[in-house]
Each structure stands twice: as structure tokens, then as C-alpha cells.
Amino acid sequence: MCKKGKTIYQTARYNTNFTQEKASELLNVSPKSLGDYERGETIPPDYVVVSMANLYDAEWLGLVHLKTNNDVGKKFLPDFQIRDLSGSILDLQVGIEDTTSKQYSMASIARDNKIDSNEKAEWEKSKSTIKRLMGACLSVILATGADQLTK
């Protein structure tokens, strides 16, 4: 049975057999610090999130943490959804088809190795399509964690 917590950190722990006390011991953080992370009072440092993801077998936790709490992740990671495997695969197929339909346009723009002002709008559309494909790829990779976040 999957249980959703107040934060992603609490959700990840809830879906294991670890008590907060045991998890804090194994993560080498104080129970108070872990409680603060799980209540959303403080954001855990990246190295603690890596340890949580490993301990809780929650690969999704690292990416969701970066996308929601890290300025670099917010800016540069593509948008993605954590959902069931079949839905993720369908999104990936749509993303592949969308990207394939842009191949000629991308090749036409890139063949001279520069983007002219009259090509810029089309190039931005192509980049957006690629970012959606990247997000769909991440969704497939993280689909096994979907049950923890969506129930």
C-alpha cells in the first residue's frame, strides 16, 4: 500500500519499512533534521537527498528534489511527470513522433552551423519539442516510482 506524505521526502520514507528514527540513523542525520525535511520546514542538502534516494530505493526523489528546490534544476531540467509505465511509454511515443516530424526543419536550419534571425522562431519550436521528448524519457525511467507519488 502506498502512502503519500506531506513532502516528497516523507512520501519516499512512508513507502519503505523505515521509521523516522531508523531512517535518521541510517542517513546519519538527527531525527529533528529528518522531521524538519519531512514537514517541509527545511530543504535537505543534496548529499542527504542522494542518501535518501538510495536508502528508500526512490530514484525519482533526486530529480523531483532538483526540479522543485534547486535553481539549476528549475531552469535546466525539462518538465516531466512521474506516472504509470504505460502512460509514460505513450508520452514517449508521442514525443518521438513529434521530434521526428521536426527532423527536416532542424537539419535545414543546422546545415550551415548557424541560426539566422529568420530561423530563430522555428529553432525555438524545435528545442521545445526536444525538451518535451527529454521529459518523456525521464518519465519512462522514473515510472517505477509512480505509485509512490500518485496515490
Side-chain angles (χ1 to χ4, degrees), residues 109 115-125 127:
I109 292 169
I115 301 167
D116 298 328
S117 59
N118 62 326
E119 299 170 325
K120 190 163 178 85
E122 185 61 30
W123 185 250
E124 290 303 315
K125 288 179 191 175
K127 282 178 27 180

Side-chain angles (χ1 to χ4, degrees), residues 71-123:
D71 289 339
V72 174
K74 288 175 186 176
K75 179 159 178 66
F76 296 108
L77 279 176
D79 291 333
F80 60 91
Q81 294 180 1
I82 299 180
R83 50 186 300 185
D84 60 53
L85 184 58
S86 60
S88 296
I89 293 293
L90 289 172
D91 284 349
L92 178 62
Q93 289 175 320
V94 169
I96 290 169
E97 181 61 33
D98 289 348
T99 304
T100 300
S101 72
K102 293 275 188 196
Q103 278 182 320
Y104 179 79
S105 173
M106 287 188 287
S108 177
I109 292 169
R111 70 178 170 208
D112 63 357
N113 211 27
K114 61 183 177 184
I115 301 167
D116 298 328
S117 59
N118 62 326
E119 299 170 325
K120 190 163 178 85
E122 185 61 30
W123 185 250

